[in-house]
Amino acid sequence: MLKLTMPEIVVLSEGLQNRIAAGEVIERPASVVKELVENSIDAGAAEIAVEVLDGGRRLILVSDDGRGMDREDALICFHPHATSKISKEDDLFDIRTLGFRGEALSSIASVSRLKITTAPSGSTLGVSVEVHGGELRDVRESAHTGTTIEVRDLFFNTPARKKFLKSQRTEVYHIVETVTVAALSRPEVAFSLSVDRAETLRLPAAGSIRERILQVYGEEFLRGLREVAGGEVTALISEEGNYRSSRSTQYVFVNRRPVRDASLRHALYSAYDAALPRDRHPIFFLYLDITPSEVDFNVHPAKREVRFRDKEAVYRSVYNAVRGALRGSADEPSGYAEASVDAHVEPQPGVTAADAVPAHASAGSIVSDSLVKYGGDLKYIYLGDVFVAYTDGRGITLLDHHAAHERILYERLLKGGMGLEVTQMLFPRQVKLPAREYRVLLQHIEAIREMGIEAEDFGHDTLMVRAVPRFLFDADIPAILSDIAFCLTEGRTGSPVEEMKKRIAKRIACHGSVRGAVMLSHAEIARLLEDLSAAEDPEHCPHGRPTRIRMSLDDLKRMFRRTG
Ligand code: ADP
Ligand code: MG
């Protein structure tokens, strides 16, 4: 008989199946926090407390005052596909709870040492169940109210996954973010978070989304937001002009479930339209209320995405609601688009009316909209509102004045010290920040100080800003701090200090130079060109885009085929 050497197919053991499934649901400690907090919310908790040790590796504890479980349920809840939330296929299209897949506890149980202590509401006679790596270890009676779930030694039996964990700081950042998002989704629930025994978030039950945002971000932040209320859409969004240079503060909730949705984001950006400069991002907290049968939540293992039955209708209602709210803000009811274009030519301090160029900048007719100026030996012409063409008689150079300005500021910031004119503030500014941003800024407060932003810890998620570089004097300090925090947590962590400094400098430079479309005066252009020539890398802005493009007479000859 011929012996076949084909690999044999085996059905994986249940334990291995679970660990594979766990990989999709439980990526990192923050995913455990997300799932447990969601279970507490589904259990009708009024108060949820989260504690973590060592970035969640050693311990993640979530306790709630929800309806709890009886002994029988406590013994089954950590089995795969065990759920009390749906029972038949139709239920999948009428989901009103955050959970429904019955995968979280079993996934967590298979990769950690899990302890569930719970009692059904109305009774204090509870049960405590221990499961290690998916195996039941211990069951005993225990007095309790609500439910407490302790997860110890996450990934202790999946070393490969454990290796993927980032630094403790990064994991904590994600945990803080996760609890914050949950808190934003349920203002009526009280949340607390302690990190290595230090209280990091404490949010008492709030009466509205507005109040919850106030608790998390502070009053000043809230003042920059506009409320949108219409039909299925409720939102708080950036007032015009209150933009950021990153997407760090953008949240979408569908039926109070946090989701990512590119199309909804697009609807929102479109509603700002011309008012939103390139590379700037609005803040938004968008809450959609959709009939459960109109939306499919069963799209993503971690339930981060949704599918709408009528995507276009949802897009339209977000667009219309936001657009309507923004339109209401224009002083002239005559036309939102017009008003926003006019904003480009608002005279700025230091720029006289004669210096300003009317920006009827309709694309395509650049030259007719620009203004020719002469003076000294510098001849230049504005093309649109950021490009400047100038000539020295031997060629022509095209300059992006924002990019150039950013380069100059960036190098100054990195050099720090004398090159930076630092201005003490008459009244030091208290800036309250979301807990995760506060933490990361504190860790880099020295580097930030070297760049002229003198801030100190004021406790309670608040920094006291005493001085800023002169060019930031009337910039939006909370926005800058929050952008810096965001860039510090982006990408790889544990990067060398120099790398972190560069990131910070890039952000600050961006804020210093992107100040609407301000046309520079002759003297300012001359100064900019001089400073740029003195820069170490005059050709690129800190993000790597060109600052200037030069065409020599020779280049021009070649282009007109006049060579030879
Ligand atoms: P799902 O949430 O998708 O149902 P889980 O694995 O997260 O699946 O939880 C399984 C079940 O355990 C839930 O359906 C619920 O009945 C019960 N359960 C989990 N956490 C709690 C809690 N904090 N309070 C009460 N019951 C809970
Ligand atoms: Mg669940």
Side-chain angles (χ1 to χ4, degrees):
M1 271 290 273
L2 201 66
K3 181 116 171 50
L4 286 176
T5 52
M6 289 285 286
E8 257 181 88
I9 294 178
V10 294
V11 173
L12 299 176
S13 73
E14 201 178 299
L16 197 48
Q17 285 181 30
N18 287 345
R19 275 189 227 168
I20 289 171
E24 295 190 315
V25 184
I26 307 301
E27 235 177 290
R28 58 180 355 153
S31 357
V32 174
V33 173
K34 173 180 189 284
E35 294 295 338
L36 296 183
V37 166
E38 288 189 354
N39 280 344
S40 297
I41 291 173
D42 283 344
E47 203 171 332
I48 300 173
V50 182
E51 288 172 44
V52 298
L53 293 179
D54 186 18
R57 279 169 236 237
R58 238 174 78 204
L59 173 73
I60 297 166
L61 182 151
V62 176
S63 63
D64 67 54
D65 58 355
R67 71 179 70 88
M69 288 178 269
D70 62 18
R71 187 185 171 94
E72 196 184 333
D73 280 353
L75 279 168
I76 195 170
C77 69
F78 60 87
H79 287 279
H81 315 297
T83 179
S84 57
K85 298 170 194 174
I86 57 172
S87 57
K88 53 186 192 302
E89 189 167 351
D90 283 355
D91 295 346
L92 270 180
F93 298 96
D94 189 24
I95 286 176
R96 289 158 200 272
T97 48
L98 293 169
F100 57 86
R101 298 168 61 103
E103 283 182 330
L105 286 183
S106 69
S107 298
I108 297 167
S110 71
V111 293
S112 71
R113 303 184 219 277
L114 173 76
K115 182 172 172 185
I116 304 169
T117 310
T118 184
S121 49
S123 154
T124 54
L125 186 64
V127 62
S128 159
V129 177
E130 279 193 56
V131 186
H132 292 184
E135 286 179 18
L136 184 63
R137 282 297 172 85
D138 190 37
V139 184
R140 59 182 70 191
E141 283 185 356
S142 171
H144 203 74
T145 46
T147 302
T148 299
I149 300 206
E150 288 160 74
V151 177
R152 283 179 208 279
D153 306 326
L154 185 64
F155 301 137
F156 78 97
N157 54 353
T158 52
R161 183 151 282 272
K162 198 168 178 177
K163 262 192 237 143
F164 277 99
L165 288 181
K166 299 283 167 55
S167 68
Q168 179 182 340
R169 190 199 298 160
T170 305
E171 298 304 338
V172 166
Y173 169 85
H174 288 287
I175 291 167
V176 176
E177 175 71 0
T178 301
V179 177
T180 305
V181 172
L184 288 169
S185 79
R186 306 280 159 155
E188 72 280 13
V189 177
F191 285 86
S192 65
L193 167 64
S194 102
V195 174
D196 292 328
R197 301 202 170 79
E199 183 177 83
T200 301
L201 278 175
R202 203 177 60 79
L203 305 168
S208 62
I209 293 165
R210 212 186 156 78
E211 193 184 335
R212 180 51 47 93
I213 293 176
L214 176 76
Q215 292 173 336
V216 176
Y217 298 89
E219 217 169 290
E220 176 149 3
F221 177 92
L222 192 60
R223 246 180 269 133
L225 302 183
R226 166 169 295 261
E227 250 176 84
V228 181
E232 55 197 9
V233 184
T234 308
L236 277 103
I237 59 170
S238 279
E239 290 280 10
E240 271 179 49
N242 179 26
Y243 306 127
R244 306 239 153 157
S245 55
S246 76
R247 291 188 175 142
S248 63
T249 317
Q250 302 187 338
Y251 299 99
V252 177
F253 303 91
V254 175
N255 296 358
R256 314 229 281 166
R257 175 197 302 279
V259 297
R260 296 191 199 136
D261 191 294
S263 133
L264 292 180
R265 188 190 324 125
H266 188 270
L268 222 126
Y269 274 73
S270 310
Y272 280 91
D273 191 42
L276 190 64
R278 193 173 52 93
D279 288 345
R280 306 294 283 158
H281 304 276
I283 295 166
F284 57 77
F285 303 86
L286 177 64
Y287 297 77
L288 289 182
D289 220 343
I290 310 275
T291 316
S293 57
E294 292 293 305
V295 52
D296 184 359
F297 289 111
N298 189 21
V299 182
H300 186 280
K303 300 164 291 183
R304 273 196 294 262
E305 284 162 24
V306 292
R307 203 179 290 134
F308 299 107
R309 186 167 296 197
D310 189 348
K311 198 169 160 178
E312 269 165 50
V314 177
Y315 184 100
R316 268 197 312 276
S317 60
V318 170
Y319 176 86
N320 289 335
V322 172
R323 183 86 175 187
L326 289 172
R327 211 183 283 243
S329 71
D331 292 336
E332 290 164 75
S334 60
Y336 164 81
E338 257 172 54
S340 67
V341 171
D342 282 346
H344 284 257
V345 292
E346 251 172 45
Q348 304 279 335
V351 180
T352 62
D355 284 330
V357 178
H360 316 118
S362 54
S365 66
I366 345 171
V367 177
S368 62
D369 280 332
S370 51
L371 189 76
V372 186
K373 296 221 211 171
Y374 301 95
D377 19 347
L378 175 68
K379 299 181 183 67
Y380 69 90
I381 173 174
Y382 253 110
L383 310 171
D385 49 22
V386 290
F387 298 115
V388 178
Y390 61 93
T391 167
D392 52 11
R394 279 168 292 121
I396 182 165
T397 305
L398 298 169
L399 176 88
D400 175 332
H401 86 213
H402 280 322
H405 196 199
E406 258 187 86
R407 161 55 57 184
I408 295 162
L409 292 179
Y410 173 72
E411 291 193 8
R412 271 192 207 150
L413 285 162
L414 280 179
K415 288 197 190 105
M418 304 302 284
L420 273 182
E421 246 183 290
V422 173
T423 321
Q424 295 291 323
M425 296 175 118
L426 206 48
F427 304 104
R429 291 268 304 266
Q430 278 184 33
V431 182
K432 175 157 163 67
L433 293 150
R436 59 176 169 127
E437 297 184 357
Y438 168 73
R439 290 175 60 88
V440 75
L441 287 171
L442 271 191
Q443 273 146 4
H444 294 87
I445 206 150
E446 210 29 64
I448 294 167
R449 187 167 305 158
E450 281 171 29
M451 290 177 215
I453 301 185
E454 286 171 20
E456 63 193 58
D457 187 8
F458 203 62
H460 300 286
D461 298 350
T462 303
L463 292 182
M464 182 71 101
V465 181
R466 300 196 180 276
V468 293
R470 205 181 143 74
F471 65 82
L472 288 181
F473 199 63
D474 42 32
D476 181 349
I477 303 295
I480 295 173
L481 289 177
S482 137
D483 277 350
I484 295 176
F486 182 72
C487 80
L488 286 172
T489 52
E490 261 179 344
R492 280 190 315 123
T493 48
S495 314
V497 184
E498 286 315 311
E499 151 93 36
M500 291 313 219
K501 281 191 189 163
K502 282 186 186 163
R503 284 196 209 167
I504 299 172
K506 259 184 223 172
R507 284 303 189 197
I508 303 179
C510 193
H511 277 275
S513 67
V514 182
R515 303 282 296 284
V518 186
M519 300 277 171
L520 302 180
S521 68
H522 183 270
E524 285 169 324
I525 296 257
R527 169 92 182 277
L528 187 73
L529 293 178
E530 226 166 84
D531 289 347
L532 185 65
S533 308
E536 271 168 34
D537 177 1
E539 305 304 334
H540 301 98
C541 83
H543 310 284
R545 290 189 290 269
T547 52
R548 57 185 186 188
I549 292 170
R550 185 177 161 78
M551 278 175 273
S552 66
L553 278 182
D554 283 345
D555 293 333
L556 290 172
K557 279 187 192 148
R558 218 169 301 127
M559 287 162 138
F560 286 99
R561 301 205 197 127
R562 276 178 163 277
T563 37

